[in-house]
Amino acid sequence: MSRIFRPVMLAVFCLALAVPMAWAAPLDAFQGKQGSINIAGGTAHISVMKEAAKRIMTVNTDIRISVAGGGSGLGVQQAGEGLVDIGNAGRPLSPEEVEKYGLVSFAFAIDGVAVVLHPENPVTELTSEQVRDIYAGKITNWNEVGGADRAITLYTRDEASGTREVFDGKMLAKGPVVVSANVVPSNGAMKTSVAQDPGAIGYVGIGHIDTTVKAPTVDGMTPSQENAADGSYTITRKLYMNTKGEPQGVVKDFIDYLYTAEGEEIIRASGYIPTGR
Amino acid sequence: MPGNKDRIAGLLLGTAAATVACAVAAVFGFLFLFALPVFTGGQGLAVLGGTWQPETGQFGILPMLAASVCLALSALALGWPLALGLCCSIRGFVPAPLARLLLALLRGMTAFPTVVYGFAALFLLVPFMREAAGRGSGLCWATAALVLALVALPTMVLVMDAGIQQMERRLHLTGAALGFNRRQILVHLVLPACRGNLSAAAALGFGRAIGDTLIPLMLAGNAPQWPHSVFDSIRSLTAHIGLVLATDTHSAAYGSLFVAGCLLLLVNVAVQLALRALPTKNGSSATYGYGA
């Protein structure tokens, strides 16, 4: 992964030389410091992490920050084994994980998980019971839920996905998913697949919804970040950063930075709701 | 002192061979060692079952093994004849400039990362396959097999071509003396003499197809079910390892990956050995040398 990010970082460094230094107050914490921060894990976190990393590395070229994906499970595991400084997860840590690895968790944003369909699918509302029946294979044609006569193709996420964990727990109520469902490895791959397939049903973090897919209401709840924040959309989760033990040095500064006004602005711009500390 | 030099060269080559052999043995050893706890840890042979459902404690990886084998064999069935045809075209059935262009193109194709094939196929082939099948998502066995055939093609053509070229040089005079033209020499003398080479190409193509991760991960749909129809979504062992790798390292799901790795290795070794054991015309076994 780092090989891919090296040119990106190089570009950021060059940019730093060209841009006149703008000393925003929250970034003062990084002044005169050096070090590296390796970040991996949940794919929903990447946009926030990258933007924060870019801003920090622009004012301080002595700090190197690498951001990789891999899914929530990988984030927890790699942070626990000391392979990365911050392991991102779109789900809370299990008691076993806290005990085994001694991880400390920092929630910084709320994200909802929404059902997505192909934009040309006429279905605009579903009930959670219908979604459960669709994923269980009891409903197999869109005309059974008020759509066109077309077979439903199912998309789900891999087992390490935090998005899947929220969807399974809160939308499907741990109900079964038929074995023939396609499995995709990231939020981005889900969006690409659903955007292309007229019969598709899938699910992504609300922050990933754009015009290429369409999110129907579920039980009358409209999936949007505002509704996720005020509690009127209930299929939500928090996004966490995890460190092994209390964070130190620039890693602590990085986490603190996301709780400043500027950090919250980055979180909002990525489509999430900041939680504050 | 040529004798001395020979001895040193022999020693160096022997050391190199021993190192590689040790490395391969170590890979085998570690995989088996890591896979062992899965069998001794109370689960027994559950990992060799037919259902993958970690939530309910079922870690059967056999459907993925079947998917891998089906995928690789179908890619080979599509790619190998195509490779042979291309090879024959290059060696005498198309004009020389076109043959050179084809060869250059195939050499270039070996340099393409598979993710490029996967990405292009996602937008071009998948919608086409969805319409062609009239059901499903287009992410299926057939789509992945088509692209895998394309990916394995250059390797197979280049191996075949190297053998044919050498054999052609050897048999050219014999053929000419019999009054054969270039095509007749190719069909009646060179190809039969190259049998070992052709099966080596098949073995390499199979290894390439069964070992590829990105193509099945991006195009086969990854549903952990038994392959029934070519329009079914299936999950290869390689894609399975890629998908499950991110889970907790101490979970049973993670442990089962080592069994998956072992099975992949065993299938590959079995195929290579089987192809090596095939007798060729002159009684020796098929070799990977570019002669025969």
Side-chain angles (χ1 to χ4, degrees):
Chain A
M1 260 316 178
S2 73
R3 208 167 276 189
I4 302 168
F5 282 99
R6 214 165 285 154
V8 176
M9 269 185 265
L10 202 69
V12 172
F13 292 149
C14 295
L15 201 71
L17 295 175
V19 172
M21 300 289 175
W23 293 102
L27 287 167
D28 283 352
F30 297 96
Q31 216 172 345
K33 292 190 179 166
Q34 55 181 353
S36 66
I37 310 173
N38 291 311
I39 304 171
T43 52
H45 304 56
I46 292 177
S47 54
V48 178
M49 298 292 136
K50 270 195 169 163
E51 180 60 27
K54 196 175 100 189
R55 294 194 189 192
I56 293 166
M57 290 192 290
T58 307
V59 299
N60 187 340
T61 52
D62 287 334
I63 297 177
R64 290 159 179 265
I65 305 175
S66 74
V67 181
S72 297
L74 185 95
V76 172
Q77 178 219 322
Q78 296 221 324
E81 314 235 319
L83 298 170
V84 297
D85 303 300
I86 299 176
N88 289 325
R91 58 171 174 82
L93 296 171
S94 68
E96 296 85 53
E97 284 168 337
V98 174
E99 193 187 337
K100 188 168 67 197
Y101 291 133
L103 290 173
V104 184
S105 218
F106 299 89
F108 65 96
I110 298 172
D111 181 28
V113 176
V115 169
V116 285
L117 313 173
H118 189 269
E120 280 162 28
N121 193 325
V123 174
T124 55
E125 49 184 47
L126 290 167
T127 65
S128 52
E129 199 185 339
Q130 285 172 327
V131 176
R132 267 198 296 282
D133 286 348
I134 288 172
Y135 270 89
K138 282 186 218 155
I139 296 176
T140 56
N141 195 303
W142 282 113
N143 61 18
E144 293 173 62
V145 290
D149 177 22
R150 183 179 257 282
I152 298 175
T153 44
L154 292 170
Y155 291 86
T156 186
R157 288 282 308 278
D158 55 282
E159 285 110 26
S161 157
T163 312
R164 168 170 166 160
E165 203 164 304
V166 178
F167 186 78
D168 277 357
K170 297 203 171 164
M171 182 78 86
L172 302 184
K174 304 249 175 227
V177 175
V178 285
V179 71
S180 58
N182 290 316
V183 180
V184 291
S186 70
N187 271 308
M190 178 69 87
K191 220 165 66 180
T192 312
S193 306
V194 172
Q196 277 205 65
D197 184 347
I201 183 169
Y203 53 89
V204 294
I206 289 181
H208 284 85
I209 295 174
D210 58 21
T211 51
T212 63
V213 292
K214 167 178 155 182
T217 62
V218 175
D219 293 337
M221 301 184 296
T222 306
S224 72
Q225 292 300 0
E226 296 71 43
N227 294 350
D230 68 21
S232 57
Y233 184 79
T234 57
I235 300 138
T236 58
R237 52 142 172 199
K238 285 182 182 169
L239 302 184
Y240 300 85
M241 294 178 280
N242 301 294
T243 58
K244 195 174 174 71
E246 284 297 330
Q248 309 286 335
V250 284
V251 177
K252 180 177 186 302
D253 293 335
F254 182 89
I255 290 171
D256 288 342
Y257 174 61
L258 280 181
Y259 290 109
T260 64
E262 193 175 327
E264 297 195 339
E265 172 215 319
I266 294 174
I267 295 168
R268 277 202 196 86
S270 300
Y272 305 121
I273 307 293
T275 55
R277 245 186 226 276
Chain B
M1 297 278 274
N4 233 346
K5 266 188 193 161
D6 278 357
R7 212 178 305 144
I8 292 171
L11 206 67
L12 282 177
L13 289 176
T15 318
T19 313
V20 171
C22 284
V24 172
V27 169
F28 263 100
F30 276 110
L31 265 182
F32 279 119
L33 215 63
F34 279 111
L36 208 59
V38 178
F39 294 106
T40 56
Q43 272 206 63
L45 294 173
V47 70
L48 298 178
T51 312
W52 175 265
Q53 217 164 52
E55 308 88 56
T56 59
Q58 289 172 289
F59 301 100
I61 55 172
L62 281 195
M64 279 80 98
L65 177 67
S68 267
V69 173
C70 287
L71 204 52
L73 285 179
S74 51
L76 200 62
L78 290 167
W80 191 83
L82 201 59
L84 186 62
L86 266 171
C87 232
C88 292
S89 311
I90 290 168
R91 293 275 148 226
F93 284 86
V94 297
L98 186 58
R100 270 200 299 278
L101 185 75
L102 265 175
L103 210 53
L105 198 71
L106 283 159
R107 291 214 176 95
M109 273 172 77
T110 57
F112 266 50
T114 48
V115 66
V116 175
Y117 288 97
F119 196 65
L122 206 52
F123 290 95
L124 301 173
L125 187 60
V126 169
F128 176 78
M129 293 301 287
R130 179 167 51 233
E131 296 313 313
R135 68 187 181 85
S137 57
L139 299 168
C140 61
W141 174 359
T143 311
L146 279 172
V147 179
L148 271 181
L150 196 66
V151 167
L153 187 70
T155 316
M156 291 194 279
V157 173
L158 293 180
V159 169
M160 284 179 187
D161 187 63
I164 288 176
Q165 194 179 10
Q166 210 168 55
M167 199 51 79
E168 206 176 35
R169 217 173 286 150
R170 251 158 74 182
L171 296 175
H172 175 73
L173 272 181
T174 319
L178 291 168
F180 284 3
N181 64 24
R182 195 178 171 202
R183 289 176 194 180
Q184 288 166 326
I185 294 174
L186 180 68
V187 173
H188 297 292
L189 296 178
V190 176
L191 282 185
C194 279
R195 219 185 283 172
N197 209 274
L198 298 184
S199 60
L204 280 176
F206 181 86
R208 187 93 173 75
I210 202 167
D212 195 88
T213 309
L214 265 177
I215 300 293
L217 185 65
M218 292 173 86
L219 301 175
N222 300 320
Q225 58 182 344
W226 291 97
H228 288 297
S229 134
V230 291
F231 295 116
D232 274 351
S233 164
I234 57 170
R235 181 189 291 197
S236 76
L237 271 181
T238 46
H240 177 68
I241 293 174
L243 277 172
V244 181
L245 196 61
T247 51
D248 182 8
T249 40
H250 297 274
S251 65
Y254 192 82
S256 75
L257 292 189
F258 291 101
V259 182
C262 276
L263 286 176
L264 256 182
L265 219 63
L266 285 177
V267 169
N268 221 338
V269 168
V271 168
Q272 308 282 347
L273 287 180
L275 280 167
R276 264 171 181 257
L278 284 182
T280 54
K281 218 170 191 183
N282 51 17
S284 71
S285 68
T287 60
Y288 290 81
Y290 286 165

